[in-house]
Amino acid sequence: MTGPELWTEEQRRIATEAEAWVRAKLDKESSGHDWRHIERVVSTARTIAQAEGADSFICELAALLHDMADEKLNIDPIAAEQELARWLANCGISEHEAEHVMEIIATMSFKGGSRPPMRTKEGQAVQDADRLDAIGAVGISRVFAYSGAKGRPIHDPGILPRGNMTEEEYRNGRDTAINHFYEKLLKLKDLMNTATGQELAAGRHRFMEVFLEQFYAEWDGRK
Ligand code: ADP
Ligand code: NI
């Protein structure tokens, strides 16, 4: 369908307002959900939406707003979700569009386990874009930033990657940055919804494999 250049004036205004709201809220974030993460997810979602023929305006709003009700950013996630629903109801889009964006945001988070599959092409595009931001060079950078913020070690050969985890274990267990590759990042390539997402994930996945190989060689002092 259409990219931002073909949106109506009204759609442009709504996207600009959504961006301003998100920026104001996330500017000071350091948990890996900062404004730059949103910006990257928006860019990638645009690429996927265009290639997959998804509604780029719905994708843009969902990508911009996808972390606004996240439990890591909000002391009261239920209130944040209500605020988000109110914002969408009042921003000038149809009720149907508002519900679609809410549904995408509610279904897309990973949270250490599986969620119901994304129902629409737009949801699939935005979820792929969010997951793609956790892998590749950017994904590697985010793991170490997140681990550092949590005071966790880069690597500890004595701490093994965990298999199935509860949400509590996923968030708060004893963990290392390197283990997170096995617990999440290396699994994401196979969870892509769209062909474009799969294509982008393949390159980023290979880059992580090369990174890990090099990491272990250096860790062991191999020549
Ligand atoms: P989302 O909310 O998009 O599912 P998360 O909150 O799980 O993402 O993760 C945000 C970023 O922090 C991601 O890049 C992820 O890889 C990284 N991250 C999450 N949990 C860990 C962890 N236990 N160790 C290292 N990095 C993590
Ligand atoms: Ni995200």
Side-chain angles (χ1 to χ4, degrees):
M1 262 185 228
T2 61
E5 62 291 340
L6 294 172
W7 292 348
T8 63
E9 271 309 302
E10 174 76 344
Q11 287 177 323
R12 266 179 236 270
R13 178 191 64 76
I14 294 165
T16 305
E17 276 176 23
E19 181 182 322
W21 184 37
V22 176
R23 259 178 191 273
K25 175 150 168 163
L26 299 190
D27 238 2
K28 292 170 203 73
E29 262 297 313
S30 61
S31 70
H33 294 82
D34 51 299
W35 164 249
R36 296 294 179 186
H37 162 65
I38 305 297
E39 204 171 42
R40 291 189 301 267
V41 174
V42 167
S43 304
T44 308
R46 282 183 183 180
T47 302
I48 298 174
Q50 181 142 33
E52 301 286 332
D55 181 329
S56 65
F57 177 66
I58 293 292
C59 290
E60 184 96 0
L61 277 190
L64 277 170
L65 299 170
H66 82 272
D67 274 337
M68 289 300 267
D70 194 282
E71 83 269 14
K72 293 178 292 314
L73 299 180
N74 294 287
I75 303 159
D76 186 347
I78 293 169
E81 195 172 331
Q82 284 163 353
E83 192 187 358
L84 176 58
R86 250 195 324 273
W87 190 91
L88 284 167
N90 294 324
C91 73
I93 59 179
S94 72
E95 204 180 319
H96 177 74
E97 287 176 313
E99 275 168 14
H100 189 180
V101 173
M102 273 314 278
E103 179 194 316
I104 293 172
I105 295 171
T107 353
M108 69 184 261
S109 167
F110 180 91
K111 302 221 180 76
S114 44
R115 306 238 115 199
M118 303 306 291
R119 192 178 58 81
T120 64
K121 214 190 299 188
E122 289 71 28
Q124 292 176 353
V126 179
Q127 186 179 53
D128 280 0
D130 191 34
R131 287 176 167 169
L132 281 163
D133 203 53
I135 61 177
V138 166
I140 293 171
S141 312
R142 288 179 79 202
V143 172
F144 291 101
Y146 184 103
S147 289
K150 288 257 179 180
R152 292 177 182 165
I154 294 171
H155 180 44
D156 182 340
I159 306 176
L160 295 176
R162 299 161 298 173
N164 290 330
M165 289 168 273
T166 63
E167 197 171 329
E168 163 61 22
E169 283 165 345
Y170 176 66
R171 289 289 166 218
N172 301 313
R174 205 163 154 247
D175 205 2
T176 69
I178 290 293
N179 278 352
H180 192 63
F181 284 79
Y182 301 95
E183 291 170 352
K184 178 175 174 185
L185 308 191
L186 294 168
K187 296 177 181 170
L188 292 175
K189 156 178 86 66
D190 294 328
L191 295 178
M192 289 293 133
N193 304 297
T194 66
T196 313
Q198 277 160 10
E199 196 185 317
L200 289 168
R204 296 182 188 204
H205 188 88
R206 267 196 303 281
F207 189 80
M208 292 195 295
E209 287 178 335
V210 171
F211 171 82
L212 287 169
E213 245 168 67
Q214 173 84 13
F215 183 93
Y216 293 128
E218 293 179 14
W219 187 272
D220 295 336
R222 274 185 265 140
K223 255 171 111 186

